[in-house]
Amino acid sequence: MTIRKLGFLLLLGWQSALSQDRIENFRKQVATSDGTEKIDALNQLAIETSTFNNQESREASMEAYRLSNESGYVKGKAMALLYLSLAETNAGQLKKANDLLFKSIRLSHELKDAPFEGYGYTWLSSNFQNAGMPDSAQYYSIKAGELLEKSNNLYYLTFYYNTLSDFFKLQNQADSQRIYIKKSWTIRKNLPDKRYLAFAGNKLAEFYIQYHDYKTALIYLDSCQSSLGVDTVSNEVIAKIWSNRGVIYSRLSNYKLAEFYLDKAKTFYSQNHFPKELNGLLLRITEIYEETGNYEASLQNGLEALSIAEKNSFNVERTRSFIRLGWTYFNKRNYTLCEKYILQAIESSLNYGLTLEEANAYNLYGLLLSITNPKIAHNYLKKSLTIRKRSKSLAGQAEVYGILGNLAIGESKYDSALFYQLLGLKISLKTPDLIGTAYSLAGVGYTFSKLNNYSQAENYLNQAESLADSIKSGTVMVEILNFRRQIAESKNDLKAYIRYTKAYETLSDSLFRQSESNRVLLSETLVEIQNKNSEILLQRATLENQEKELSLIRWQIILVSAGGVLVIIILLILYSSYKASKKLNFKIIEQNNDLATSQEEIQAQNEELLMANEEISAQRDMIQEQRNHLDLRNHELEDIVEKRTKDLIQYIQQLEQFAFISSHNLRAPIARILGLGNLLEMKGLRDSETIHKALIGCARDLDTVIKDLNAVLDIRQNNQIELTQVMLSEEMQKVRSSLSYQIIANQALIHDDFSEVDQVKTFRPYLQSILMNLISNGLKYRRLDVSPVITIKTLYKDNFVCIQVSDNGMGIDLEKYSDKLFMMYKRFHNHVEGKGLGLYMVKTQIETMGGKIEIESEVNSGTTFHLYFKRERAETTTVV
């Protein structure tokens, strides 16, 4: 369980420690209460049990939702949806979780409950962070900030700041990460319950641990524990403090203290029923032991973490446990078990849409295949790199480039290998991952050796060894020694090869076959030997310096003896000049004092100028910021003007087309009427009855044209139509009924599939007109050799609900007619009746509702129309 989710409990304002007694109290309230009181108790029970009994949490929130829906208690419904989303998140169902959050947010918006709406957006941002979608995470984080910065709910606001700091951590933006943790820390200092401060202090400590500033991290942990006072037994935050202390002491190689604090945290989580937090702690311990080479302890904790995740259906943690175990077996050189766990991790990450875990799994599998099956390793590494770039994970990208470099070395492509290794190192240096940086330095050094550039190889390997020694990473040191002995072998340097091989085998034995206590003892012994060797070297250097000094003194004695007389003469001369120089020294001292006074005055003036420059610089920054804001606003205005200009041009073109069509189509019947009228005026005309009938027919044609044009104008002018929720299956039944005669007469089959989407927010008359036009077209323009088959299907596409209407008819030559397809009175088949107005009406109607239409067609193969309705209008309200 991350600190973020523990913070969630605090945000609700519950100030007593979680316990089985408290859970039982909520269960009793649920059993004995009714109405909104029961719904509130169910919601509290859902969140209380979310960390250790996900199934009970889900059932409580679903029941709260059902009762809220029946009673019309909108606030209870919004809270139940949010808590149900947490249960889905715990189960790895991120898509379901996000759908529920959207619904909760909409209800909060209807209630005008800005703090709870912002709180929902914060959780949504967190989910997108964990899914490796930083752009979406940032978008919803901004929406959350707009709501919460204006509210007075400090609990939600500080939770937002904590989530934002996690976002910047994933983006390797350390300054922004620290700023938002500090904001949370500052606000929580003034809250009455100091546990809030302790949670923020833990996050600050974790920040400094990340950047290896253990001294500052311990200061914040001490402050956290002090803020708790005597409440250090029944409070879950104390376990977080202990676990962070354990991590720090393990980094400082004080394994006795590290084990002491980590065991205290494990015991607390186990005894107080916090399986999610216990799982996270075990994975952290697994990684620590893996980094320091104690693989037996790493496996023991990793398997325990996997057992807890599987028992509680924590699918995200289960996937991470697979990956962690895979890494441990890889470092133990047990490639069979490594492959077993990594394939399980890939399958699980794909099943639950866990993109970050998927990338981690591909990284390890690519590394494994680079040893066992290099030919297909590239495929998995490219998959990982694609995800890493999309999620902007620098450490992950560096790791992939390092593995690609190793693959290129195996293929003897040394120039490519050096390119990948240097690129990986460049990226790794931008991250706080010192272990990854040490591996990158070693990889670059080894690649230079393959290019016979041994001076550069030695330079990079020395840097890698120094960094590995500072972070106490035995696994990196083994890798460096292995590289060194391979280089010695390629140079035919037998002595160096024997020396490095012996060191490599000794350290490998201590890492892979000795117990933790022996390994630590060996490490401490090696440090002592190293310190003694350093002392011996220092003593030798001191003796050499002393010998040089003695030799210099001997020569000085000889020179002094030889020039003793000369020295006496010089001393007499110096004594005579001493008195004169003494007076001169007094004058120089006085001048120096005057000069010092002047310098102090100049320094004061410089400080004043510096302060003035800082003020000017601050004003310049403010002016520049205002300019940037104005530039941004100008760009926005330009975009608006450009969009409106395009809309105006399009509208003018439509008006011109309408005017042209109107004049063209009205001219023909009017011309015929005038001609027939002239005939009636002619004297001696016998067939006047025929002319009267023709006149009536022309008048009807004219009336039809005017009605068509009025229908188009009605659609164009009707911008205030009211959109309502429409059931597509019901509307389709009406269309079938209206066209039943044509369907039977043409022996047509009409299939519809509304399983994915059955509701759309639209204008019912337009929808009926659209479906009638497209389906009747499919019947009219059928092929004579086959029975008509028309298929209607709905699906989600991006931000739209798409209705697909397909037929197997004559089709349209799009290359020939694509620019005239939706124009008025344009027809492409003349063997059946029609006015060429249907497709124009369909396009006009759907665009009036804010949608769009696309077409696919092939002559003699059929036509498919794609009708797009905006999804935010069309999304249904079905919940569970």
Side-chain angles (χ1 to χ4, degrees), residues 772-782 807 838-839 865:
M772 289 283 288
N773 268 305
L774 295 181
I775 294 173
S776 61
N777 277 355
L779 296 173
K780 283 196 295 185
Y781 301 112
R782 64 190 183 280
D807 63 54
L839 290 183
F865 291 93

Side-chain angles (χ1 to χ4, degrees), residues 812-822 827-828:
I812 303 171
D813 188 346
L814 294 181
E815 293 184 3
K816 186 176 180 181
Y817 298 116
S818 61
D819 57 335
K820 302 176 181 178
L821 195 61
F822 294 107
R827 301 185 62 210
F828 312 106

Side-chain angles (χ1 to χ4, degrees), residues 463-495:
Q463 292 182 57
E465 187 170 344
S466 175
L467 184 55
D469 183 63
S470 68
I471 59 178
K472 310 298 181 186
S473 177
T475 52
V476 179
M477 193 66 76
V478 166
E479 190 80 356
I480 295 169
L481 290 172
N482 186 37
F483 286 160
R484 286 191 182 279
R485 70 173 185 165
Q486 290 183 51
I487 294 171
E489 183 179 16
S490 66
K491 293 169 65 178
N492 293 320
D493 188 344
L494 182 60
K495 290 184 178 179

Side-chain angles (χ1 to χ4, degrees), residues 446-459:
Y446 182 63
T447 308
F448 269 119
S449 74
K450 290 295 183 180
L451 292 167
N452 298 321
N453 190 339
Y454 294 111
S455 61
Q456 284 282 47
E458 185 68 17
N459 175 35

Side-chain angles (χ1 to χ4, degrees), residues 503-523:
Y504 169 79
E505 291 176 349
T506 301
L507 186 55
S508 295
D509 286 342
S510 70
L511 291 178
F512 305 132
R513 286 191 285 272
Q514 298 297 322
S515 65
E516 171 65 9
S517 59
N518 290 335
R519 188 183 69 80
V520 174
L521 181 60
L522 176 61
S523 175

Side-chain angles (χ1 to χ4, degrees), residues 478-692:
V478 166
E479 190 80 356
I480 295 169
L481 290 172
N482 186 37
F483 286 160
R484 286 191 182 279
R485 70 173 185 165
Q486 290 183 51
I487 294 171
E489 183 179 16
S490 66
K491 293 169 65 178
N492 293 320
D493 188 344
L494 182 60
K495 290 184 178 179
Y497 177 77
I498 293 173
R499 183 171 72 255
Y500 288 128
T501 298
K502 185 176 180 180
Y504 169 79
E505 291 176 349
T506 301
L507 186 55
S508 295
D509 286 342
S510 70
L511 291 178
F512 305 132
R513 286 191 285 272
Q514 298 297 322
S515 65
E516 171 65 9
S517 59
N518 290 335
R519 188 183 69 80
V520 174
L521 181 60
L522 176 61
S523 175
E524 293 173 348
T525 304
L526 288 174
V527 171
E528 291 177 2
I529 292 172
Q530 186 178 2
N531 291 337
K532 289 180 180 179
N533 287 336
S534 299
E535 292 175 2
I536 292 170
L537 290 174
L538 182 61
Q539 290 174 0
R540 286 178 180 174
T542 303
L543 290 173
E544 290 176 358
N545 290 333
Q546 289 175 351
E547 288 178 358
K548 290 179 181 178
E549 290 175 358
L550 288 173
S551 177
L552 182 61
I553 291 170
R554 291 191 191 101
W555 281 104
Q556 289 174 348
I557 292 172
I558 293 171
L559 291 173
V560 170
S561 299
V565 177
L566 181 62
V567 171
I568 293 171
I569 294 171
I570 293 172
L571 288 173
L572 292 172
I573 294 171
L574 290 174
Y575 180 74
S576 63
S577 62
Y578 170 72
K579 292 183 179 179
S581 64
K582 190 172 182 181
K583 292 180 180 180
L584 182 61
N585 285 337
F586 280 120
K587 290 183 179 180
I588 292 172
I589 291 170
E590 290 177 355
Q591 292 174 353
N592 286 337
N593 290 334
D594 293 339
L595 181 61
T597 303
S598 300
Q599 287 177 341
E600 290 177 357
E601 293 176 355
I602 292 170
Q603 180 66 27
Q605 293 173 355
N606 287 338
E607 290 177 355
E608 292 176 0
L609 287 172
L610 183 61
M611 292 176 64
N613 285 335
E614 288 178 352
E615 292 178 0
I616 292 170
S617 177
Q619 292 173 355
R620 285 176 178 169
D621 291 341
M622 185 180 299
I623 292 170
Q624 184 61 41
E625 184 177 352
Q626 292 172 349
R627 285 177 179 171
N628 293 339
H629 180 73
L630 287 174
D631 289 341
L632 180 61
R633 184 57 183 163
N634 285 336
H635 285 305
E636 291 175 350
L637 290 174
E638 288 172 2
D639 291 340
I640 292 170
V641 170
E642 182 180 358
K643 182 178 183 303
R644 290 183 177 175
T645 302
K646 288 180 180 179
D647 292 343
L648 183 59
I649 291 171
Q650 183 181 3
Y651 185 66
I652 292 171
Q653 290 173 346
Q654 290 172 351
L655 286 176
E656 290 174 349
Q657 180 188 5
F658 184 81
F660 172 78
I661 292 169
S662 299
S663 62
H664 178 273
N665 290 310
L666 289 172
R667 189 182 301 118
I670 291 173
R672 294 202 304 274
I673 290 171
L674 291 173
L676 292 169
N678 290 332
L679 287 175
L680 287 174
E681 291 177 355
M682 295 175 62
K683 294 180 179 180
L685 186 67
R686 297 178 180 178
D687 199 7
S688 60
E689 184 178 351
T690 302
I691 295 173
H692 278 294

